[in-house]
Amino acid sequence: MILVATAFRQPLSIANIPISSWLFAIRIWLATILALFVSFWLQLEAPSTAALTIAVLAEPTRGQALEKAGFRSFATIVGVTASIVVTGLFSQTELILAAFAVWLGICVFAAKLLDGNRAYAAALSGYTVGLIATQQIDHPQHVFEVGMARGVAIAVGILSMAVVNDLLFAPDHYPRLALQLAALHHRIRAYATAALNREPGVASKTFLALVRDILALRPAMTSVGLDSGSSLARSAAARSAIVALVAELLAARIEKIAQVDVATRDQTSVAFGGGRHSGLGARLPAQVADARHEPGVGSEGSAWTTRELLRRDEEVQENLLALRSARWPLRSWRAPLYRSYRIAAENGVRASLWIAIASAFFVCTGWPATSVSLSFVMLIGALGATTANPRGFTAMALVGAPIAAVLAGMLKFVILDGVDGFPSLTIAMAPFMVGAALLMTSRNLLWSSLGRVNLAFITIFVAPSNPQTYNPQTFLFTFVFIVAAAGLLLVAQTLIPPVSDHKRRMRLATTARGDLQQPQRLNRHSPEEAMFRDTSRLEQFLSSGGAQDSAALADMLSCFDQSAMLLLCKAKLTQLADAPLAPLAHRARAAIVTRDTGTLRAVAGEMRENASPTSPIEADVAACLFVACDLLERGRIEPFREVS
């Protein structure tokens, strides 16, 4: 395992660039050439759209590319349908621009509720209307045929990418995902050891970093099922593994917060420390295994926290083994996201206003062919909605467009310079496509973003066609339209800024407190799924700059800890529904609703005294309630004030 991890960290390279990155870049170039060749052969009306599809589907693994291709196809159908409906209803009125703005706002609202390729599909549904209906605003009778031409070109691009990935053996995603999950498992065990050794500063930072790293892998789970030789079972195993990692991380945090006695702490540290967590098959010391079944070890709740942590660790190991062996996990969990409909609605309204401002500006200026620039406004605005910083995305487009224009100008008017042969186009495009794709593989977010922007913009500026055109005026107009669109959108986003990080944090903190006061929520989720949902809310809080807001972060973590424990208590109390101690369980559930820790402690004490010697369930529930009481008593803080 150590050798595999070392090889993963130090791959073979050429010019200090990993070979895997070179192979990825070459696949992108070959897929672009194949898409253009087929488009020219079929004499498609929009061959550049086929090439642009390759830039959009530029993903390093087979499963990720296929998943994005599926969402691109579906979203294109939705966008073309919306284009036909909007132009059919409003083409004879002045409300058509308002309809475009409203539709984009709806799509941005949906994108903010989703993640990964699903968010991209929502954005694509929005800007497809801009690329089809907006550009044909003066010729609405052509919307259908333009939409069909775009759909055929996208299909050619998707098939070209699939063929190249198969012929050149594009890697599957699940081996890398399995290594990433195993590395996270290793880090969680190290965090548990640090937490037990009472290292509060280091443990807290590690916990927050683990939350972000685990949630970052969520969008990749569904693509695992599309790998070669893979199945839905492997995707389910990956999903269950990531949920189990969150559950183990929370168990380690509870162990840190709970009053764990020295003996139990030392035994658990032995289990997770000393290098014994390097493999999935690691076994625990005998004394720790025995401690898991002794409700009276140390202070009240000590044995339970140890037992819970070790049980969660075993669940992670089982799910990782299921992922590697492509079999269904013992327990299949969903990985639900926390969705703030209020924040999403505010972003949608703002996006609509940005398009309205741009439309009003173009109408007032009366510039010819401004519908093309407006379509780029919708394109940049919709794609920016899939990022955490829409205004930063617009600025990146504004910076990347001139760079791409210079490179595309060199390719078109210096290197090609009137050449009409397809082989010459193939060779000339190679360094530009390969270079941009290599930039995309950079770990630096700025370089990676520039690589993706240039890969798309170079294709737009060059606009490959059969025969190839060399019209400097068209090239200049395209550049001006894109820069004007990005600049105008940036001005609109300055006048009406996106939802601020502070407001997002306060919204999330308010909902966290509200959910904590409503324990009957999320009955449709298992405790593990509900904890994952709460973790995704915490990750959104951190993405909004929450790590720098220490007071709000402390309050958020307090709600997070209490909610996790109450979810576990409710789940365990359901085990006593038909047991002799069912009345006590009912009293405990009522006390959870009112946060009556005195009653909870009394109920826990009665359960422990009346526990059956042949069944550890009652003692286990009692210990869980004791730990929950400790967390509730420490978490009595003032409620958050709603942001106006």
Side-chain angles (χ1 to χ4, degrees):
M1 185 67 162
I2 295 176
L3 292 176
V4 173
T6 302
F8 180 71
R9 290 193 300 268
Q10 298 177 343
L12 297 175
S13 63
I14 298 176
N16 293 326
I17 300 176
I19 290 181
S20 60
S21 297
W22 284 102
L23 294 176
F24 164 68
I26 291 172
R27 288 198 307 272
I28 297 305
W29 167 59
L30 291 177
T32 302
I33 297 305
L34 178 59
L36 289 175
F37 176 80
V38 175
S39 298
F40 293 163
W41 179 57
L42 295 175
Q43 299 182 0
L44 298 183
E45 295 181 12
S48 59
T49 300
L52 188 60
T53 296
I54 303 301
V56 171
L57 301 182
E59 298 291 345
T61 63
R62 182 197 311 264
Q64 289 174 304
L66 285 176
E67 183 192 35
K68 196 167 189 178
F71 280 110
R72 182 168 174 80
S73 300
F74 173 76
T76 299
I77 295 173
V78 174
V80 170
T81 303
S83 299
I84 296 172
V85 172
V86 170
T87 53
L89 293 176
F90 302 103
S91 62
Q92 303 301 321
T93 70
E94 296 181 356
L95 295 177
I96 188 167
L97 293 178
F100 291 154
V102 170
W103 172 252
L104 187 73
I106 293 172
C107 292
V108 168
F109 168 76
K112 286 299 183 181
L113 296 177
L114 304 169
D115 69 338
N117 289 329
R118 292 171 177 80
Y120 162 73
L124 176 59
S125 300
Y127 74 73
T128 296
V129 173
L131 296 177
I132 296 177
T134 304
Q135 294 192 20
Q136 300 298 323
I137 194 170
D138 295 326
H139 306 283
Q141 69 274 15
H142 294 159
V143 167
F144 178 78
E145 57 191 75
V146 171
M148 293 301 101
R150 176 176 172 80
V152 172
I154 288 175
V156 169
I158 291 173
L159 291 175
S160 299
M161 177 65 86
V163 168
V164 170
N165 280 344
D166 283 340
L167 293 179
L168 296 186
F169 304 103
D172 291 328
H173 188 56
Y174 80 84
R176 180 182 181 88
L177 181 61
L179 283 175
Q180 291 173 319
L181 291 174
L184 284 170
H185 185 208
H186 178 99
R187 290 170 57 192
I188 289 174
R189 285 185 146 205
Y191 164 76
T193 302
L196 288 166
N197 291 333
R198 294 294 185 264
E199 302 174 17
V202 176
S204 251
K205 294 178 182 178
T206 304
F207 172 79
L208 298 178
L210 283 167
V211 165
R212 303 196 70 169
D213 291 345
I214 292 174
L215 267 295
L217 295 181
R218 184 188 180 278
M221 294 182 303
T222 53
S223 65
V224 170
L226 298 175
D227 285 335
S228 59
S230 191
S231 63
L232 293 178
R234 182 163 270 152
S235 179
R239 186 171 58 251
S240 296
I242 200 171
V243 174
L245 283 172
V246 167
E248 182 179 4
L249 179 61
L250 294 181
R253 178 170 172 81
I254 291 171
E255 178 106 0
K256 169 183 177 293
I257 296 173
Q259 296 291 341
V260 180
D261 63 283
V262 176
T264 305
R265 184 171 71 239
D266 291 344
Q267 290 174 347
T268 313
S269 296
V270 170
F272 286 96
R276 296 187 61 94
H277 49 273
S278 58
L280 294 178
R283 287 290 175 258
L284 302 173
Q287 65 268 31
V288 178
D290 292 340
R292 290 182 297 172
H293 302 288
E294 295 180 12
V297 173
S299 62
E300 293 175 337
S302 293
W304 180 86
T305 56
T306 301
R307 181 166 62 250
E308 183 70 12
L309 177 59
L310 300 180
R311 181 174 71 85
R312 295 299 186 183
D313 185 73
E314 291 173 357
E315 288 177 346
V316 173
Q317 295 183 37
E318 291 170 356
N319 285 301
L320 290 179
L321 288 173
L323 173 61
R324 287 190 169 88
S325 57
R327 60 177 174 80
W328 284 95
L330 295 179
R331 295 187 63 185
S332 182
W333 288 313
R334 295 172 295 171
L337 278 178
Y338 172 77
R339 295 182 171 92
S340 175
Y341 290 91
R342 189 168 182 177
I343 294 176
E346 290 183 3
N347 279 282
V349 171
R350 282 168 165 78
S352 294
L353 292 176
W354 297 336
I355 303 304
I357 290 174
S359 301
F361 175 81
F362 287 132
V363 169
C364 292
T365 57
W367 292 347
T370 53
S371 59
V372 177
S373 191
L374 182 58
S375 68
F376 283 118
V377 171
M378 296 182 69
L379 170 66
I380 299 171
L383 289 178
T386 64
T387 67
N389 185 2
R391 190 157 48 187
F393 180 87
T394 305
M396 178 62 65
L398 188 60
V399 172
I403 298 174
V406 171
L407 295 174
M410 292 175 55
L411 170 60
K412 191 165 187 175
F413 299 109
V414 178
I415 298 177
L416 291 174
D417 192 23
V419 173
D420 196 32
F422 185 76
S424 300
L425 177 65
T426 299
I427 297 172
M429 291 185 67
F432 297 91
M433 297 291 102
V434 171
L438 286 176
L439 275 181
M440 286 178 55
T441 62
S442 172
R443 295 185 179 181
N444 185 293
L445 182 59
L446 176 62
W447 290 113
S448 177
S449 300
L450 279 175
R452 185 171 288 278
V453 167
N454 276 276
L455 189 63
F457 277 174
I458 288 174
T459 304
I460 294 174
F461 284 130
V462 174
S465 60
N466 186 25
Q468 182 64 40
T469 59
Y470 295 91
N471 188 334
Q473 185 178 16
T474 301
F475 183 90
L476 179 61
F477 281 172
T478 302
F479 169 71
V480 170
F481 288 149
I482 292 178
V483 172
L488 183 57
L489 180 60
L490 191 59
V491 170
Q493 290 175 334
T494 303
L495 294 174
I496 304 176
V499 180
S500 67
D501 286 345
H502 175 73
K503 181 173 284 189
R504 288 172 59 198
R505 290 197 302 270
M506 292 302 100
R507 295 280 188 223
L508 293 169
T510 300
T511 58
R513 174 51 61 115
D515 284 352
L516 183 61
Q517 300 302 324
Q518 299 174 5
Q520 69 274 13
R521 67 182 177 86
L522 301 178
N523 290 329
R524 63 186 183 278
H525 295 306
S526 68
E528 292 80 8
E529 293 170 346
M531 286 188 289
F532 187 91
R533 176 186 179 272
D534 288 346
T535 305
S536 73
R537 174 166 48 197
L538 178 60
E539 190 275 335
Q540 293 173 33
F541 180 86
L542 297 173
S543 298
S544 304
Q548 286 71 45
D549 192 345
S550 57
L553 178 59
D555 293 342
M556 191 78 177
L557 288 174
S558 176
C559 291
F560 181 70
D561 298 333
Q562 295 177 64
S563 179
M565 274 307 306
L566 293 178
L567 287 167
L568 286 173
C569 288
K570 289 180 62 181
K572 290 184 177 297
L573 286 169
T574 58
Q575 301 176 22
L576 303 178
D578 299 323
L581 299 182
L584 287 177
H586 180 73
R587 283 178 56 197
R589 282 192 290 270
I592 287 176
V593 173
T594 59
R595 304 295 186 273
D596 185 352
T597 55
T599 301
L600 283 176
R601 287 191 182 278
V603 170
E606 291 185 47
M607 283 188 178
R608 186 179 57 184
E609 293 174 1
N610 296 287
S612 170
T614 60
S615 174
I617 295 179
E618 292 88 350
D620 185 72
V621 174
C624 181
L625 292 176
F626 279 126
V627 176
C629 289
D630 290 338
L631 289 180
L632 288 174
E633 289 169 353
R634 296 182 190 184
R636 298 189 189 281
I637 55 177
E638 292 298 321
F640 298 110
R641 287 182 296 178
E642 179 66 31
V643 179
S644 59

